[in-house]
Amino acid sequence: MKKFPTCYLAPISEYTHRAYRELCKKRGAEFTFAPLINTTQIIHQKDKNIHRFIDFEKEKKVGIQLFGSRPEEYPRAIERINTFEKIKWLDVNAGCPMPKITKIGAGSRLLTNQDTLIEILKSIQGFDFTKSVKIRLLKNSESTKKLVEKLSPLVDVIIIHGRTPEQRYSGTANWDIIKEINETTDNFIIGNGDIQTIAQGKKYIKEKYCDGFMIGREAMKNPWLFSKKDANPKKIFFEYYKFYKKYKISNPNDLKQKAIQFFHSFRGAKELRSTIGNMFSEEEIVGYIKDHDFK
Ligand SMILES: Cc1cc2nc3c(=O)[nH]c(=O)nc-3n(C[C@H](O)[C@H](O)[C@H](O)COP(=O)(O)O)c2cc1C
């Protein structure tokens, strides 16, 4: 089997932009994913606006994820992106359960429209990059395994979030089904769902649940989880702030969103999050955090 990294930062919309990916890589994520991009939007976007979607110039260890329901749009979107920055890894989103994605026939809707998903994957075969598809579980392990069997020859890697679309984020991820799939396919399988520590991810690999693991929500709260070290939220915030400046994010809402994620699990964190939640400028947010000690 071809070798791939084992530890991944998940794609998270409006969160895993360049600055955040760089921070996670600095702290030990071996590979990262940019948030999902709409094929239709990429095709029709004016050049001057395209960098809202393409923020991976000369970036290493980054995968791009596309969503859409029209197979013919994928090669066009890819060619357009390639004129700005050559894609090294492309993932097709077939797992997102959010109505704004499924109502256009994309994301997890493709798990029920499997012929369309197959057509999409066929449409990208001519490109020279790592190909993956990110899916969720179907109703039972048999139907999920059947789907994986169909997808298997068309991709290098299959990323599996161990929940059904109907579950959204409720309940716990079903790692037993991920393991069953891993046992029956030759593809590199990246398992995803509820991982909180690197040790837990490594254990899943050791026990053959998957070949690699991907972390989402826990990495939103603590990008340092990828490293062996620990840091307090203030330190994490200011490390993030350096990347925020470096990549000229210039969006106080982004800073606020990150601070609210980082500041948790200590006395007074709730009040702090609500205070920051009511701030609107970068100066205000950064000044407030600088002037406070958090234990
Ligand atoms: C706010 C949010 C945004 C997400 N955006 C995406 C996305 O753009 N593409 C995608 O494939 N999954 C997306 N996901 C799903 C995650 O990549 C991941 O599959 C899911 O959170 C389960 O992993 P976890 O338990 O480690 O969080 C998103 C999840 C959250 C919470």
Side-chain angles (χ1 to χ4, degrees), residues 168-185:
R168 300 263 183 111
Y169 290 92
S170 67
T172 47
N174 188 332
W175 278 85
D176 291 333
I177 297 189
I178 297 178
K179 188 174 193 204
E180 271 188 55
I181 294 168
N182 193 35
E183 281 162 0
T184 54
T185 172

Side-chain angles (χ1 to χ4, degrees), residues 10 134 159-162 173 175 178 190-195 214-216:
K134 186 162 178 278
I159 307 170
I160 309 171
H161 177 186
W175 278 85
I178 297 178
I190 300 177
N192 169 239
D194 303 339
I195 295 180
M214 175 176 270
I215 306 186

Side-chain angles (χ1 to χ4, degrees), residues 121-161:
L121 296 176
K122 282 187 178 163
S123 81
I124 65 170
Q125 292 306 302
F127 292 97
D128 177 27
F129 43 56
T130 300
K131 299 169 188 75
S132 66
V133 58
K134 186 162 178 278
I135 62 170
R136 284 187 174 227
L137 304 181
L138 298 180
K139 293 254 167 336
N140 54 51
S141 72
E142 280 319 304
S143 51
T144 316
K145 276 196 277 186
K146 269 196 194 134
L147 169 66
V148 166
E149 219 172 277
K150 288 196 245 173
L151 305 179
S152 166
L154 299 167
V155 289
D156 304 291
V157 175
I158 301 176
I159 307 170
I160 309 171
H161 177 186

Side-chain angles (χ1 to χ4, degrees), residues 18 21 53-59 62 64 81 85:
R18 181 78 183 254
R21 296 194 297 269
F53 305 93
I54 301 175
D55 68 345
F56 36 88
E57 291 85 358
K58 298 192 172 41
E59 183 177 356
V62 62
I64 307 312
I81 296 172
E85 181 66 31

Side-chain angles (χ1 to χ4, degrees), residues 53-145:
F53 305 93
I54 301 175
D55 68 345
F56 36 88
E57 291 85 358
K58 298 192 172 41
E59 183 177 356
K60 293 196 175 114
K61 301 175 184 171
V62 62
I64 307 312
Q65 187 187 62
L66 289 177
F67 76 96
S69 59
R70 300 192 184 119
E72 71 280 6
E73 284 189 352
Y74 279 75
R76 290 177 64 197
I78 291 164
E79 272 155 20
R80 179 118 204 257
I81 296 172
N82 273 345
T83 62
F84 294 92
E85 181 66 31
K86 208 158 182 311
I87 298 172
K88 294 169 209 82
W89 181 321
L90 186 102
D91 181 69
V92 172
N93 182 314
C96 182
M98 304 312 283
K100 69 175 182 198
I101 308 288
T102 55
K103 78 170 186 229
I104 63 158
S108 62
R109 183 54 53 84
L110 293 170
L111 299 175
T112 40
N113 294 340
Q114 294 180 8
D115 289 346
T116 306
L117 178 56
I118 304 283
E119 284 311 309
I120 289 170
L121 296 176
K122 282 187 178 163
S123 81
I124 65 170
Q125 292 306 302
F127 292 97
D128 177 27
F129 43 56
T130 300
K131 299 169 188 75
S132 66
V133 58
K134 186 162 178 278
I135 62 170
R136 284 187 174 227
L137 304 181
L138 298 180
K139 293 254 167 336
N140 54 51
S141 72
E142 280 319 304
S143 51
T144 316
K145 276 196 277 186

Side-chain angles (χ1 to χ4, degrees), residues 33 73 100 109 167 204 212 227 249 260 266 273 276 281:
F33 278 91
E73 284 189 352
K100 69 175 182 198
R109 183 54 53 84
Q167 274 182 290
Y204 281 134
S227 74
I249 306 289
I260 287 170
F266 58 88
R273 289 199 300 270
I276 294 172
S281 78

